[in-house]
Amino acid sequence: MARDMPDQDTASLPSDDLIHAAASLTRDLHDARRAIYWTDFVVSAAAGYVALTLAIAAPGWARTAAVAAAAAALYRAVSFVHELTHLRPKAVPGFHTAWNLMIGVPLLLPSFMYEGIHTLHHTRTRYGTDADPEYLPLAKMRPWTLVVFLAAAALAPLALFIRYALLAPFSLVIPPLRRTVVEQFSALAIRPGFRRPRPEGDWLVWEVAASLWAVGLLIMAATGVIPLAALAIFLAVASGVAVLNQLRTLAAHLWENDGGPISVTAQYLDSVNIPRGPLAALWAPVGLRFHALHHLLPGLPYHALGEAHRRLETALPPDSAYHRASHKGLLPLLKRLATASVSHPRGAAIRG
């Protein structure tokens, strides 16, 4: 049976009525504006690669600044994979292919690793349960799990390099390894033990492309065609992208569900909006700072979320549950999560 999390006033909590009201107030905002998608994505990717080139060439502090700039710009470009999973077919023609060619393959993050996985997180009967690949009860787990959570992100680019340069080629001749690679190493999931369903569509094309790119990098580095320092800087930038995303992930939810099914009310209040704050668009780009609103209206394009929030904030009364999902920023949310974790020293172990 669905249940609400404790200590919530149920008088004005979200329900299907809130979802219907949100849909009604935003009915004219659902069209993806192609020019915005293309301009934002191409500029972000180009800025990231220019900064990466400068990082490889520049000395000292200039290199450090360029690495930070490359990570920030590429993080924004990477974040468009979230849009790929929600865009209607043919809403932005060619965007799927362009994203994979410009970001997915070069950063060893082809979109199939997210597509077919993220939608499970949005299934109402799965959210926050053991069947949700993108959820862990972090607020009720031991504090060291938060450290492991961030450390895993920092090492993710190296793991992806191994996955595509070594495991993928060898798995073609070792069937058991192939099953493991597809089921366990082909999903951007945070729940250990998650086994993904077999990907669909053109995923094999992008896996082969990413594998060829990774093998090519390995050969060029081994033969001196590209300096090892350049490869190390590339991996450092990719690591920065992963850590930024992991920090944003920590602030996307309150992570208070213990694994059982919960109501739509609890799902909404366990998610987070950051409507204000000068840095929110940097650490939660491409609409990700309106994560709770996104869970209400997952089909709304990222560029419409700000306007949708303004409409709902204005139309709904101050005591509406909609306002309860708004929070002040990254640091307060991280502090809240850390405090909750410390207050549960016997929190749950990570479960698969």
Side-chain angles (χ1 to χ4, degrees):
M1 178 180 295
R3 54 186 174 78
D4 293 332
M5 288 179 290
D7 302 322
Q8 299 288 355
D9 175 9
T10 59
S12 58
L13 291 178
S15 65
D16 286 342
D17 290 339
L18 177 58
I19 296 174
H20 294 156
S24 177
L25 288 167
T26 61
R27 190 165 293 147
D28 61 321
L29 299 178
H30 282 262
D31 289 335
R33 298 176 64 178
R34 298 173 183 178
I36 292 178
Y37 272 88
W38 282 111
T39 301
D40 194 346
F41 170 66
V42 171
V43 169
S44 298
Y49 287 128
V50 168
L52 175 59
T53 302
L54 293 175
I56 293 173
W61 287 105
R63 171 173 290 175
T64 302
V67 166
L74 289 175
Y75 170 48
R76 183 174 185 86
V78 166
S79 297
F80 276 92
V81 73
H82 182 255
E83 290 297 299
L84 287 182
T85 67
H86 292 288
L87 279 172
R88 296 189 302 273
K90 300 181 180 180
V92 186
F95 198 74
H96 179 274
T97 299
W99 188 91
N100 276 292
L101 287 174
M102 295 176 66
I103 294 294
V105 170
L107 294 183
L108 304 179
L109 290 168
S111 61
F112 74 83
M113 298 189 70
Y114 196 68
E115 294 168 319
I117 304 301
H118 180 64
T119 49
L120 298 178
H121 176 61
H122 279 275
T123 304
R124 292 187 185 181
T125 56
R126 287 178 180 260
Y127 177 92
T129 71
D130 293 343
D132 185 345
E134 295 185 5
Y135 197 97
L136 286 171
L138 293 170
K140 299 184 178 182
M141 298 171 72
R142 297 182 187 277
W144 60 263
T145 61
L146 301 179
V147 178
V148 172
F149 196 72
L150 289 174
L155 295 174
L158 180 59
L160 288 169
F161 193 73
I162 293 172
R163 186 253 189 256
Y164 284 102
L166 300 176
L167 296 184
F170 282 116
S171 73
L172 295 179
V173 295
I174 306 175
L177 177 60
R178 184 62 186 162
R179 286 193 296 272
T180 299
V181 167
V182 172
E183 292 180 0
Q184 300 182 40
F185 304 139
S186 298
L188 296 177
I190 67 172
R191 180 172 289 280
F194 172 74
R195 301 293 184 268
R196 75 157 300 154
R198 185 175 179 82
E200 299 178 352
D202 58 356
W203 71 278
L204 192 56
V205 172
W206 299 114
E207 183 188 38
V208 170
S211 184
L212 290 174
W213 170 248
V215 170
L217 284 177
L218 187 62
I219 292 173
M220 287 188 288
T223 57
V225 175
I226 60 173
L228 286 175
L231 180 59
I233 291 171
F234 168 73
L235 290 174
V237 169
S239 181
V241 171
V243 170
L244 280 171
N245 183 67
Q246 203 79 322
L247 284 170
R248 193 274 313 168
T249 299
L250 288 174
H253 298 286
L254 300 183
W255 308 105
E256 294 177 346
N257 189 47
D258 59 8
I262 58 176
S263 67
V264 174
T265 293
Q267 292 177 29
Y268 177 79
L269 292 177
D270 191 46
S271 303
V272 169
N273 285 331
I274 310 291
R276 295 170 183 84
L279 299 179
L282 293 178
W283 61 264
V286 193
L288 291 171
R289 64 194 182 104
F290 295 108
H291 200 71
L293 174 56
H294 170 67
H295 271 266
L296 277 182
L297 301 170
L300 206 62
Y302 82 99
H303 55 72
L305 289 170
E307 174 61 22
H309 174 76
R310 285 188 288 273
R311 292 183 185 183
L312 290 165
E313 194 175 44
T314 301
L316 297 175
D319 62 346
S320 167
Y322 180 79
H323 303 289
R324 300 186 189 183
S326 291
H327 297 264
K328 292 183 178 180
L330 177 62
L331 293 181
L333 284 164
L334 294 180
K335 180 179 178 181
R336 172 178 176 148
L337 180 59
T339 300
S341 179
V342 169
S343 70
H344 291 82
R346 296 181 181 178
I350 297 179
R351 293 185 293 176

